[in-house]
């Protein structure tokens, strides 16, 4: 029972006890008054009737005696009048059964009224002429008491309702600070700290509220300090201090992770020429300004939302990983970047004509770090001999010409309209109780004309470029819901594209679709990348709040890939996160690198969010990862399996 109900019950019962006591005293007083009134009436009647009967008794006229009795009997409340004529030894009486109309029998049985009776000796001079006995009728008294009881009960009920209403309002006002404290405690449990609570006027609640506010501030500071510490350690280990880009160690890990994940895009090396001369002639401050300007050009050309990985390998070398670009796009982007370097105001900082070289390798298949770095080095050598300073190499001489992107776009639209999608799924298992998967991540493939079944890694960049993500995601969600309605008992995670998350109409459609299937909301969850959250935070937070209201779980993918703070997790509060698989490789590579993985997991766990390891490929890796406080894992230890919509796989 809630405190509100307990207080209300105490107040109402106390009030009722007092009110019932007062009303009962009033009731008893009324009953005594009616009894006395009845007795007084009998005495008056006895006196009056005695005088009226005296002449008739002297004559012994029983007929007149009876007539007189009848007259008095019909004019009052009596149950019996009896006259004993002593001269003739006759008895004349009149009586009626005691029936009380208009009063419930239970009330008569419950309330006892002592009915008075009167006996009077009638004399004629000095002689006794007769004896008069009168017994009162309780009907009038009971009727008066019943009416008084009904009136008092109505008053009691009305006053009780008024009291309950007023007490409820008063208790709610008094307990409002407690409700805020309870809500705040729930928010703290979910690591949502928010603003401090206003201080109430009640002394006791005021001190409790102060304590809650102080605890909130300390917990918030503790989390922020842990997050700052993790970010600081990460920056020291993997971030270049001058540009804010990743360093060589970060590049190597990101490259390895990217190449193991059906890569499609480019690896670009860029070198700035004449940096040492600027340092000698103008000092290190000018040198750093020139490098920062170059980093700004790169940052403006390839924003983080595109998934580009930007690193500084040495004093004058940069490296980029560009995901999802074809050969034409690579060339366009590098030429665009070159135009920034050719800007007159930037070239004036250098003491030589040629200030940069860019070598790129177009990647279309998995390869080792060494192979790709060798190709990129060769491309850089070729770029140094090119007039433009730019050279793009292919990963293989047998690399086939791809369809034009507009042709791919048209093929994607046709495939979406025709629902030409295929699906595979990969389970996510918890480290504890791993008999049943926590959920399956659903991977969609498009059956494109002239290309066959194509994985998302091939066409996702086209979806984003032409903003087709909302159409694709809508079709995937519809098919997954259809699969659930067909009887599937599994939980499926659907990945949402960045362009779809920018579309308000798509989000509204998705929420409406989920509201229409409340019985399946626990069987579908959604994932989106960390980059999407960072660059579209406001919309995603609003969307996730609606997910939480509907009981739909959601998670953030590729967490830790960026150098941004993890503070967004505090406001978003996902059910789980999947850390970038580069961290999995770090945990497996060395104890020093694994320290950062443990730090990341601890920081996220402090927000009461589950952490899922990705790219787990065998039991040996699984046993190692158990030591780093992961809650679940996913990877090629369980390879993706195909499944058909409407048919549950075993």
């Amino acid at each position: 029972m809630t405190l509100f109900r307990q207080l209300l019950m105490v107040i109402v019962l106390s009030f009722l006890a007092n009110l019932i006591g007062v009303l009962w005293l009033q009731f008893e007083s009324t009953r005594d008054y009616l009894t006395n009134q009845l007795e007084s009436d009998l005495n008056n009647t006895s006196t009056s009737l005695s005088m009226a009967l005296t002449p008739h008794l002297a004559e012994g006229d029983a007929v007149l005696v009876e007539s007189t009795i009848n007259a008095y009997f019909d004019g009052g409340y009596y149950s019996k009048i009896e006259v004993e004529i002593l001269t003739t030894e006759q008895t004349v009486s009149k009586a009626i059964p005691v029936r009380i109309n208009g009063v419930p029998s239970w009330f008569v049985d419950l309330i006892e009224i002592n009915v008075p009776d009167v006996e009077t000796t009638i004399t004629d001079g000095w002689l006794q002429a007769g004896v008069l006995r009168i017994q009162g009728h309780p009907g009038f008294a009971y009727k008066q008491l019943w009416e008084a009881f009904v009136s008092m009960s109505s008053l009691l009920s009305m006053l009780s309702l008024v009291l309950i209403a007023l007490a409820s309002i008063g208790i709610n006002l008094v307990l409002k600070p407690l409700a805020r404290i309870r809500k705040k405690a729930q928010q703290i449990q979910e690591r949502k700290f928010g603003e401090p609570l206003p201080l109430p006027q009640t002394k006791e609640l005021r001190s409790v509220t102060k304590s809650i506010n102080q605890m909130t501030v300390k917990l918030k500071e503790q989390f922020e300090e842990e997050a700052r510490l993790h970010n600081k350690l990460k920056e020291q280990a993997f971030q270049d201090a001058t540009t804010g880009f990743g360093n060589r160690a970060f590049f190597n890990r990101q490259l390895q992770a990217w190449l193991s994940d059906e890569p499609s895009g480019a690896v670009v090396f860029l070198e700035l020429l004449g940096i040492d001369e600027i340092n000698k002639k103008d000092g290190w401050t000018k040198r750093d300004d020139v490098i920062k300007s170059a980093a700004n050009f790169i940052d403006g050309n390839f924003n983080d939302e595109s998934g580009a990985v930007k690193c500084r390998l040495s004093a004058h070398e940069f490296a980029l990983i560009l995901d999802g670009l074809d050969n034409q796009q690579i060339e366009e982007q590098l030429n665009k970047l070159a135009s920034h370097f050719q800007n007159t105001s930037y070239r004036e900082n250098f003491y030589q004509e040629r200030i940069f070289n860019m070598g790129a390798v177009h990647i279309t298949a998995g390869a080792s770090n060494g192979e790709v770095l060798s190709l990129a080095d060769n491309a850089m050598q070729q770029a140094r001999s090119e007039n433009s300073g730019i050279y793009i190499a292919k990963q293989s001489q047998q690399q086939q010409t791809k369809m034009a992107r507009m042709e791919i776009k048209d093929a994607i639209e046709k495939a979406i309209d025709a629902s030409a999608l295929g699906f595979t799924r990969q389970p996510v298992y918890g480290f504890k109780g791993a008999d049943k998967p926590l959920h399956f991540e659903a991977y969609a493939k498009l059956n494109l004309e002239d290309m066959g079944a194509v994985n998302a890694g091939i066409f996702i960049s086209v979806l984003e470029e032409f903003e087709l993500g909302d159409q694709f995601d809508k079709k995937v969600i519809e098919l997954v819901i259809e699969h659930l309605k067909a009887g599937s008992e599994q939980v499926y995670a659907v990945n949402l594209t960045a362009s779809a998350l920018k579309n308000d109409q798509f989000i509204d459609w998705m929420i409406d679709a989920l509201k229409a299937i409340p019985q399946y909301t626990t069987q579908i969850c959604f994932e989106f990348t960390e980059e999407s959250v960072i660059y579209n935070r406001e919309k995603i937070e609003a969307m996730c709040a609606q997910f939480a209201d509907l009981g739909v779980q959601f998670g953030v993918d590729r967490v830790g890939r960026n150098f941004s703070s993890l503070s967004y997790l505090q406001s978003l509060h996902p059910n789980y996160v999947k850390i970038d698989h580069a961290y999995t490789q770090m945990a497996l590579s060395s104890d020093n690198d694994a320290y950062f993985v443990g730090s990341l997991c601890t920081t996220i766990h402090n927000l009461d969010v589950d952490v899922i390891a990705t790219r787990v490929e065998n039991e040996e890796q699984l046993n190692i990862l158990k030591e780093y406080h992961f809650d679940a894992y996913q990877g090629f230890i369980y390879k993706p399996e195909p499944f058909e919509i409407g048919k549950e796989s075993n």
Side-chain angles (χ1 to χ4, degrees), residues 210 222 255 275 333 354 372 383 468 475 548-549 583 641:
K210 282 183 178 179
Q222 180 181 351
L255 179 62
I275 293 297
Q333 291 296 328
R354 186 162 179 156
V372 172
L468 299 175
K475 182 61 65 175
D549 291 340
Y583 280 88
E641 60 184 21

Side-chain angles (χ1 to χ4, degrees), residues 304-411:
D304 290 337
E305 191 175 4
S306 67
V309 177
K310 295 160 284 191
C311 302
R312 184 187 179 200
L313 305 184
S314 66
H316 62 280
E317 285 184 301
F318 293 87
L320 307 173
I321 301 175
L322 309 178
D323 187 41
L325 303 186
D326 60 20
N327 199 73
Q328 180 181 350
Q329 286 181 307
I330 296 168
E331 185 176 350
E332 291 174 354
Q333 291 296 328
L334 295 188
N335 286 330
K336 183 179 178 181
L337 180 60
S339 66
H340 293 299
F341 288 114
Q342 297 289 3
N343 186 283
T344 304
S345 60
Y346 184 70
R347 291 179 60 85
E348 290 175 350
N349 296 306
F350 292 83
Y351 295 94
Q352 59 188 59
E353 184 65 23
R354 186 162 179 156
I355 64 172
F356 72 89
N357 290 311
M358 282 189 280
V361 55
H362 182 199
I363 304 297
T364 56
S368 67
N369 276 29
E371 292 172 347
V372 172
L373 292 176
S374 177
L375 289 172
D377 284 336
N378 291 335
M380 179 59 76
Q381 293 294 336
Q382 291 290 335
R384 289 167 182 156
S385 62
E386 295 286 332
N387 292 331
S388 63
I390 301 173
Y391 183 81
I392 303 173
K394 295 181 179 179
Q395 186 178 8
S396 171
Q397 295 300 324
Q398 287 76 35
Q399 192 170 334
Q400 296 180 354
T401 302
K402 300 289 183 181
M403 294 174 60
R405 295 182 75 80
M406 286 301 297
E407 293 176 346
I408 297 177
K409 169 185 174 291
D410 294 339

